Amino acid sequence: PEDTWQQVLSNGKSGAQGGVGCPPSHFDLHGTYEIVSVDDNPVNQLVIENILQPSGFKVTQCMDGLEALQLLKTRAEDWGRSHRKEEFIGFPDLVLLDVMMPHMSGYECCKVLRKLYSTTQLPVIIFSAKSGEESIVEGLDSGANDYVTKPFNRNELIARIQTLLKLKRMWDVEVEGAKRMVLLQKMLPDHIIERLQNGQAMQLDYFPSVTILFSDVVNYTVISSSAPSEKVIFMINEMFTAFDYLC
């Protein structure tokens, strides 16, 4: 029912698009990919399991879209409570989603997922016996990364899954690289960053005359232990900004 998945959606916004609160994936923690198979047909579930498990994938089964949404919500909540990687099973790496299911269709489920996670955070492959252009377009319009028709071709299904997972890993590397660059730009001058990017490991410069300023914050220990962390950080940033201006 709509009220049910709306409740799941409203309670799961911590993992919304853009990566905010997105938990580490099963691959990040364990080195193997977890695929969530969503289908109300036990025979189809068995077929998918027999295709994926021999290729090293961990398969988690959900019998309808609501169960899949609840699984993702629970995983996100588990990570939010602990934030300890050794206690967290990991967030699924990819979702296989059947179109024809009770309670909500695969298209509807995918639309809800896309309100929670972007196409790079959680790839989704929709599958159906319908191979017409209209069905494929509807699947992609609902937010799916790919569309596969039944009956499954083993090699094709694995290839499509591996391609999406590879793209996901490449995107994760790009995001982490951008984060590191932002951090470097806060800590180092541009010309030093450029040297590092060019492979120069030793950053040695000669200056014939150098002035070094040693400074101390009076009662810093007392201030940092009694004032809120946000206030202490703001104070330190203000001081560094002032020094940058003087230099």
Side-chain angles (χ1 to χ4, degrees):
E2 183 173 344
D3 291 343
T4 304
W5 65 257
Q6 286 286 5
Q7 182 179 2
V8 173
L9 176 59
S10 63
N11 290 338
K13 287 185 178 177
S14 61
Q17 292 181 5
V20 179
C22 190
S25 71
H26 192 275
F27 181 87
D28 293 330
L29 300 181
H30 307 288
T32 56
Y33 292 107
E34 180 184 12
I35 310 297
V36 175
S37 173
V38 190
D39 195 326
D40 63 310
N41 189 323
V43 175
N44 287 340
Q45 290 281 23
L46 182 61
V47 170
I48 291 173
E49 185 177 77
N50 289 338
I51 290 176
L52 298 185
Q53 280 190 346
S55 297
F57 295 105
K58 171 182 168 62
V59 180
T60 300
Q61 297 179 352
C62 293
M63 302 310 292
D64 58 53
L66 292 178
E67 185 179 344
L69 292 174
Q70 185 60 51
L71 170 71
L72 297 175
K73 176 175 175 288
T74 300
R75 295 284 183 91
E77 289 175 345
D78 288 345
W79 172 247
R81 277 193 296 266
S82 68
H83 272 268
R84 295 171 60 88
K85 291 185 177 181
E86 62 271 16
E87 298 176 358
F88 183 54
I89 189 173
F91 201 70
D93 296 280
L94 184 143
V95 175
L96 282 175
L97 193 58
D98 187 29
V99 171
M100 302 299 294
M101 293 185 293
H103 307 307
M104 65 189 313
S105 70
Y107 300 139
E108 293 171 324
C109 183
C110 191
K111 289 177 181 178
V112 177
L113 288 175
R114 284 296 166 250
K115 293 180 183 294
L116 298 169
Y117 302 100
S118 69
T119 55
T120 52
Q121 290 174 323
L122 185 63
V124 175
I125 296 178
I126 280 184
F127 61 87
S128 172
K130 299 180 180 179
S131 59
E133 179 180 346
E134 184 177 340
S135 299
I136 296 174
V137 170
E138 185 175 1
L140 297 177
D141 283 345
S142 69
N145 298 69
D146 203 350
Y147 187 102
V148 176
T149 57
K150 295 186 290 186
F152 297 114
N153 178 293
R154 179 185 181 279
N155 293 334
E156 178 188 356
L157 180 60
I158 291 177
R160 289 176 182 269
I161 289 175
Q162 289 176 335
T163 297
L164 288 178
L165 291 174
K166 186 181 296 184
L167 290 173
K168 181 179 186 294
R169 299 304 303 172
M170 291 173 60
W171 175 256
D172 290 343
V173 170
E174 288 291 326
V175 170
E176 288 303 316
K179 290 180 180 178
R180 287 195 292 269
M181 178 56 67
V182 170
L183 180 60
L184 285 175
Q185 289 173 339
K186 290 181 179 179
M187 299 172 58
L188 301 173
D190 291 340
H191 69 279
I192 297 296
I193 295 176
E194 184 176 355
R195 291 183 191 178
L196 290 172
Q197 290 177 327
N198 292 332
Q200 183 177 342
M202 298 294 291
Q203 302 295 320
L204 300 178
D205 285 321
Y206 174 75
F207 298 95
S209 179
V210 176
T211 299
I212 300 176
L213 170 66
F214 290 90
S215 64
D216 187 22
V217 179
V218 179
N219 293 327
Y220 177 77
T221 302
V222 176
I223 295 173
S224 61
S225 61
S226 59
S229 300
E230 294 83 0
K231 185 175 181 179
V232 175
I233 293 174
F234 178 79
M235 178 189 71
I236 294 174
N237 284 336
E238 288 289 297
M239 292 174 55
F240 286 148
T241 300
F243 283 133
D244 287 340
Y245 178 76
L246 291 174
C247 294

